[in-house]
Amino acid sequence: GAVVSQHPSWVICKSGTSVKIECRSLDFQATTMFWYRQFPKQSLMLMATSNEGSKATYEQGVEKDKFLINHASLTLSTLTVTSAHPEDSSFYICSAPGGQGYYNEQFFGPGTRLTVL
Amino acid sequence: AQSVTQLDSQVPVFEEAPVELRCNYSSSVSVYLFWYVQYPNQGLQLLLKYLSGSTLVKGINGFEAEFNKSQTSFHLRKPSVHISDTAEYFCAVSEDGGGNKLTFGTGTQLKVEL
């Protein structure tokens, strides 16, 4: 099946520092990946669409300078939370369309829990 | 624009009882519908999806859902739940047949009790 991994699974950082989260498609190629943010007991909110070889597309209200996205290869997208503050603490989840054989289906990573002190 | 409404934030149910989790959607075009399950501190796992064809869709873990176009609903059901079904369930809609750009409902916490 199509597997998506995320690293790290959890991270604690000090306010003002930057944190990078990796999203990898392990056994398939993904020209597109999606980044979501989930607050406790709430739904997933799409933050941005990561496109391999081009700029990410951000949803309305998401600061592109705050949440830097780089889709470096067909299997890797990274989300960097710059100058993190406590309000950035959240659960970040990435996903990718499964590709050939898995049309119409997205596969989700296990998520990264970010805590900013 | 598309949207998804899950009216029940929490659904308590006893083990081996049937359960229905409600989902209604709105969209100006044809949609593709999904149900995902999320266990604590984990990502989402696809339960089932409706793309076209039969309106009754069967998924994993004994779940099924029925697409009702006239009522714009896609309710999830299971005839007999187990303790292990305790989780958060999300209904999602996509206007893109490729499963991209999902819009999620607010989720329903299913709590199965002994």
Side-chain angles (χ1 to χ4, degrees):
Chain A
V3 180
V4 175
S5 70
Q6 280 183 245
H7 178 79
S9 56
W10 58 271
V11 58
I12 302 173
C13 69
K14 292 182 179 180
S15 185
T17 61
S18 295
V19 174
K20 179 185 286 189
I21 302 170
E22 294 184 347
C23 177
R24 293 182 185 272
S25 55
L26 296 185
D27 49 2
F28 66 102
Q29 293 182 334
T31 56
T32 301
M33 290 184 175
F34 301 93
W35 286 96
Y36 295 85
R37 182 173 181 177
Q38 184 181 29
F39 291 103
K41 300 188 183 302
Q42 294 188 28
S43 187
L44 281 74
M45 299 300 295
L46 179 65
M47 298 174 65
T49 302
S50 173
N51 304 298
E52 190 270 337
S54 64
K55 292 182 179 180
T57 304
Y58 290 82
E59 296 300 302
Q60 190 173 9
V62 178
E63 300 176 58
K64 57 183 67 176
D65 295 331
K66 172 80 172 172
F67 299 99
L68 299 179
I69 291 173
N70 182 25
H71 202 132
S73 73
L74 288 172
T75 59
L76 173 65
S77 174
T78 59
L79 168 68
T80 301
V81 183
T82 62
S83 186
H85 288 92
E87 57 266 29
D88 299 323
S89 298
S90 191
F91 195 50
Y92 293 87
I93 301 174
C94 70
S95 72
Q100 190 172 9
Y102 294 98
Y103 189 65
N104 304 120
E105 186 169 348
Q106 281 193 40
F107 291 85
F108 288 80
T112 296
R113 183 160 304 283
L114 169 63
T115 301
V116 185
L117 301 176
Chain B
Q2 56 198 25
S3 66
V4 178
T5 302
Q6 291 181 249
L7 289 174
D8 305 306
S9 60
Q10 290 187 4
V11 173
V13 62
F14 288 108
E15 193 174 32
E16 297 184 2
V19 70
E20 178 178 82
L21 306 184
R22 296 182 293 169
C23 172
N24 288 90
Y25 69 92
S26 66
S27 175
S28 57
V29 299
S30 296
V31 295
Y32 305 88
L33 296 156
F34 307 80
W35 274 99
Y36 287 88
V37 60
Q38 184 182 33
Y39 298 100
N41 296 312
Q42 294 185 29
L44 275 68
Q45 181 182 3
L46 180 68
L47 275 178
L48 47 79
K49 59 185 175 183
Y50 171 79
L51 305 177
S52 64
S54 173
T55 57
L56 182 62
V57 180
K58 293 188 183 297
I60 62 171
N61 301 341
F63 284 93
E64 65 179 31
E66 185 155 19
F67 170 59
N68 188 318
K69 187 175 182 179
S70 62
Q71 296 185 6
T72 60
S73 67
F74 190 55
H75 300 333
L76 180 71
R77 294 191 287 261
K78 186 170 182 177
S80 176
V81 295
H82 190 266
I83 286 286
S84 60
D85 293 323
T86 295
E88 189 85 18
Y89 291 81
F90 291 97
C91 181
V93 63
S94 170
E95 294 178 354
D96 171 359
N100 296 322
K101 200 96 182 229
L102 291 169
T103 299
F104 286 88
T106 50
T108 297
Q109 175 68 40
L110 175 63
K111 186 174 182 181
V112 181
E113 303 168 349
L114 292 172

